[in-house]
Amino acid sequence: MFFWIIRRDLLLAMRRRADVLTTLFFFIIVVSLFPLGVGPEMNMLRTMAPGVVWVAALLAAMLSLGRMFASDHLDGTLEQMLLSPQSLPLLVLGKALAHWLVTGVPLVLMAPVLGIQYDLPVDALLVLTISLLLGTPVLSLIGAIGAALTLGLRGGGVLVSLLVLPLYIPVLIFGAGAVEASAAGLGAGAHMSLLGAFLLASLVLAPWTTAISLRISME
Amino acid sequence: MAINWFKYSSPASFYFLAGKMIPLFSIAAIVLCAVGLYIGFFVAPTDFQQGEAYRIIFIHVPAAWMSMFLYVVMAMWSGIGLAFNTRLSSMIATAIAPTGAMFTFLALWTGALWGKPMWGTWWVWDARLTSELILLFLYIGFMSLQAAIDDPRRADKAGAMIALVGVVNIPIIYFSVKWWNTLHQGASVSLTQSPKMATTMLTGMLIMSLACWMYAIAVVLIRTRAIILERERHTAWVGELQGATP
């Protein structure tokens, strides 16, 4: 059932490729806007790069959250999932993973290319990519809670940002901090460990919380 | 004598209990505030390091304490409301949020006013300031989520979920000064050690904290009464109330 959900969501995403590409291009455009805004001074760009890429990843992940449950809610699939004898947290975990595969993974793959735009050295690119790889699943998992709570509300899109962005802040701090620490020669190990801890904690708690939230929203 | 506490978990009986308690807490808040401010401005000595500017502590520290404490209380009532499905608990949680947000804003604002003469800047991106700012965002998220949902039952439960998720931030704020080396000074008051400040200053601060506490209780009770009336407007007892006081 878990793999079935992932396969189904991926299939649905592939049928509507434009949605996936929109998120990716949003990410690319936001990152590319910063040098235009603050000026093409390479030293400044190099120090800004991790933060900019991370903030753009946060916004891109958040923008696509609305789609996580909304279409299933509209066509009644979500109701069937709630009624099914399978464990709901597991189904939610599958949906969050599919969301990450569709929106998170392209961002992770794109990040080194964008890092080059900002003239990041190779080892910083590597750290940035690994930190995104650890951090973006957390964004999908925490975002699922917000998406479940705002299901079917008017102005849900703006509301989800108010709910979810404050919870994203720790991931942002340690994700961008990892690159800065490695650039300062401190080593990114501590930041990576914390990101991994966030990932594990949200892997356990977020699907469960999302399942409860879905039941509240669908009552 | 056994008191039937569950009697007051009914909004109808709590409404009258709250009505009797509000004047008590309001008077306590006014008296304590007057005493605290008198000590703060006239009795407490001038600080040898910080001069007169330190006197902002008498509102800054109580506001910061209350901002964290009220969030925990709000999350607790949310959790009780979610677990036992009691209407009143969720109403109280809803009533606490604006007061908590106000204290958070007050703590940030007075902190900025204090930071300017002491650190030479209104704002620094230090761990404690940032996490207090996140706390403000959490309060705002809670309130806007509840405002967006028309069905009060769903609003209560959805708000409760987000309040409980956000409660992880509280220990982070509290320990941020210990965990990270930051500009914000460490705690001057703790339960286990003797306080690192003059007794009169401490007394003033504690009295002001009590005043804030009383104020928060009074305001939350007033707001809870308003919420009860709004939600129970179709019930018989509210109808009688309107008939009794035309």
Side-chain angles (χ1 to χ4, degrees):
Chain A
M1 192 69 182
F2 175 64
F3 295 102
W4 177 83
I5 284 270
I6 298 180
R7 243 198 75 207
R8 170 182 167 279
D9 275 21
L10 288 182
L11 201 65
L12 282 175
M14 280 303 116
R15 296 267 160 83
R16 314 197 64 188
R17 258 172 243 134
D19 284 0
V20 182
L21 288 177
T22 318
T23 314
L24 184 62
F25 277 108
F26 173 81
F27 176 63
I28 297 170
I29 289 175
V30 168
V31 174
S32 311
L33 281 179
F34 275 85
L36 304 179
V38 299
E41 224 261 286
M42 272 308 171
N43 278 329
M44 189 168 59
L45 286 185
R46 218 172 287 132
T47 49
M48 274 174 52
V52 169
V53 171
W54 260 100
V55 169
L58 247 59
L59 295 177
M62 196 201 73
L63 270 188
S64 56
L65 281 179
R67 285 203 301 275
M68 199 188 271
F69 298 115
S71 57
D72 285 351
H73 178 49
L74 279 181
D75 65 11
T77 322
L78 195 60
E79 229 159 290
Q80 299 302 320
M81 287 180 190
L82 292 189
L83 289 175
S84 81
Q86 307 289 334
S87 124
L88 187 58
L90 198 66
L91 294 182
V92 167
L93 184 64
K95 285 201 77 71
L97 254 167
H99 177 264
W100 175 66
L101 288 173
V102 171
T103 60
V105 172
L107 301 192
V108 175
L109 296 177
M110 207 53 179
V113 184
L114 293 172
I116 291 172
Q117 272 193 328
Y118 281 71
D119 196 29
L120 279 180
V122 177
D123 47 343
L125 283 180
L126 191 69
V127 174
L128 178 66
T129 314
I130 297 174
S131 72
L132 277 169
L133 194 63
L134 279 173
T136 41
V138 184
L139 304 184
S140 293
L141 285 163
I142 297 179
I145 306 174
L149 284 174
T150 55
L151 196 62
L153 296 181
R154 62 198 143 71
V158 188
L159 195 59
V160 87
S161 61
L162 266 181
L163 295 182
V164 160
L165 284 180
L167 301 173
Y168 279 176
I169 291 173
V171 184
L172 169 69
I173 291 175
F174 290 106
V179 187
E180 275 151 29
S182 87
L186 292 170
H191 289 85
M192 290 296 184
S193 309
L194 275 167
L195 276 180
F198 288 149
L199 177 57
L200 291 177
S202 56
L203 213 54
V204 176
L205 296 174
W208 178 64
T209 320
T210 312
I212 302 175
S213 309
L214 275 178
R215 290 205 192 278
I216 291 171
S217 296
M218 298 289 291
E219 234 166 38
Chain B
M1 186 182 79
I3 304 173
N4 182 10
W5 292 103
F6 292 108
K7 185 186 166 202
Y8 294 110
S9 64
S10 143
S13 47
F14 184 79
Y15 179 83
F16 295 105
L17 178 71
K20 283 187 201 116
M21 290 193 313
I22 288 168
L24 295 178
F25 285 112
S26 310
I27 292 167
I30 294 168
V31 171
L32 284 169
C33 186
V35 174
L37 286 180
Y38 178 77
I39 294 178
F41 279 114
F42 301 109
V43 182
T46 308
D47 191 82
F48 77 99
Q49 252 181 334
Q50 307 195 1
E52 299 291 348
Y54 92 94
R55 289 189 200 275
I56 212 160
I57 197 176
F58 294 112
I59 187 66
H60 175 71
V61 174
W65 278 346
M66 289 311 292
S67 69
M68 288 188 273
F69 178 70
L70 283 177
Y71 194 91
V72 175
V73 174
M74 185 177 90
M76 187 194 77
W77 282 119
S78 296
I80 292 177
L82 206 57
F84 300 108
N85 220 355
T86 43
R87 283 176 299 160
L88 189 63
S89 324
S90 310
M91 291 181 196
I92 292 182
T94 312
I96 289 174
T99 309
M102 188 277 285
F103 274 118
T104 317
F105 180 72
L106 195 65
L108 286 169
W109 188 25
T110 54
L113 291 177
W114 198 2
K116 191 61 184 167
M118 289 308 124
W119 301 337
T121 167
W122 299 107
W123 181 262
V124 284
W125 286 100
D126 132 313
R128 182 164 269 191
L129 276 69
T130 313
S131 40
E132 185 79 9
L133 189 65
I134 300 177
L135 185 66
L136 183 63
F137 294 158
L138 289 174
Y139 274 121
I140 291 172
F142 177 87
M143 288 191 287
S144 45
L145 180 64
Q146 290 209 321
I149 305 178
D150 292 328
D151 172 26
R153 295 301 295 147
R154 186 182 161 190
D156 283 347
K157 289 181 175 173
M161 283 311 294
I162 206 72
L164 287 173
V165 171
V167 87
V168 273
N169 191 40
I170 299 295
I172 299 181
I173 301 180
Y174 190 75
F175 292 109
S176 57
V177 185
K178 278 187 198 162
W179 290 345
W180 289 282
N181 260 327
T182 63
L183 200 51
H184 196 287
Q185 65 191 28
S188 310
V189 185
S190 86
L191 293 176
T192 47
Q193 296 160 355
S194 59
K196 299 182 208 111
M197 60 200 301
T199 322
T200 39
M201 290 184 197
L202 182 71
T203 325
M205 207 170 80
L206 291 180
I207 289 176
M208 280 305 287
S209 306
L210 274 177
C212 287
W213 207 328
M214 295 300 129
Y215 163 80
I217 294 175
V219 170
V220 166
L221 286 179
I222 293 171
R223 208 174 282 122
T224 312
R225 261 165 72 103
I227 294 172
I228 290 176
L229 280 187
E230 198 185 334
R231 294 218 183 147
E232 309 269 299
R233 62 184 176 277
H234 303 301
T235 56
W237 70 271
V238 176
E240 275 170 32
L241 207 65
Q242 276 173 329
T245 51

